[in-house]
Amino acid sequence: MGKLSFEIVTAEGVVHSDEVDLLVVPGIDGEMAILPSHAPLMTMLQPGELIVRKGGEDTSIFVSGGFFELMNDKVTILADSAERVEEIDIARAEEAKKRAEEKMGLRTQTDIDAARAEAALRRSLMRLKVVERRRSRR
Ligand code: ATP
């Protein structure tokens, strides 16, 4: 079977690039498994886990959401941030979660602040979930 070439691009540049057998991506409507020879596809992603399978081995990457594009076995993910599971700082994610929960508890904030706190909460929860899932797979 062929391979998928994929790249994750953030504001920092290309943070990940590889030739792989399978990708599972956190689509806006749920997880999508992508194999080589898939039809062209463009969609949005939600904050979550990207699973990369290569030579029978799976690796996990947190993506903060963004855009997914697939054409001719080439996948490009544009995300605000992306970290390999081993790069996730658990204490930092827990702090971010606490801060977001505190902000969401304030009654005085504007809708924009509330939406921002909710998005930050979702990112921190997903970072922790990616770490947790990795542990439970071992
Ligand atoms: P924080 O409030 O801790 O900054 P955040 O969700 O607001 O969290 P992002 O805006 O998603 O952070 O990311 C900013 C940068 O920090 C990105 O480069 C991202 O990869 C990195 N980053 C954020 N949280 C973590 C974490 N828990 N572990 C490792 N890197 C992180």
Side-chain angles (χ1 to χ4, degrees):
M1 179 126 71
K3 296 267 182 193
L4 287 167
S5 82
F6 100 103
E7 259 185 12
I8 303 179
V9 184
T10 71
E12 290 170 26
V14 177
V15 295
H16 198 95
S17 163
D18 208 350
E19 300 272 318
V20 304
D21 302 314
L22 165 79
L23 289 172
V24 181
V25 298
I28 199 85
D29 297 316
E31 286 194 327
M32 301 183 299
I34 309 288
L35 286 162
S37 305
H38 197 289
L41 177 65
M42 228 174 133
T43 186
M44 286 183 75
L45 301 179
Q46 54 180 322
E49 182 181 28
L50 174 72
I51 300 171
V52 180
R53 181 165 298 166
K54 184 179 180 177
E57 202 167 307
D58 286 358
T59 51
S60 285
I61 300 175
F62 164 83
V63 286
S64 62
F67 294 98
F68 171 97
E69 189 190 64
L70 162 62
M71 208 192 281
N72 300 329
D73 285 341
K74 182 165 169 35
V75 169
T76 307
I77 291 173
L78 296 176
D80 284 329
S81 59
E83 300 114 46
R84 264 172 271 245
V85 64
E86 59 274 14
E87 290 170 344
I88 295 174
D89 179 335
I90 297 170
R92 177 171 171 178
E94 276 167 354
E95 279 299 312
K97 172 172 175 272
K98 212 166 92 191
R99 266 197 321 274
E101 281 168 346
E102 278 164 11
K103 280 192 197 139
M104 287 177 70
L106 300 175
R107 296 195 169 276
T108 49
Q109 61 180 353
T110 64
D111 288 352
I112 291 172
D113 288 341
R116 209 176 278 164
E118 207 180 314
L121 178 62
R122 209 170 304 143
R123 286 195 300 278
S124 63
L125 289 174
M126 281 316 308
R127 282 187 170 106
L128 295 169
K129 198 165 169 187
V130 168
V131 172
E132 197 47 51
R133 278 195 192 163
R134 162 48 66 101
R135 283 186 181 150
S136 63
R137 279 197 201 111
R138 285 208 170 134

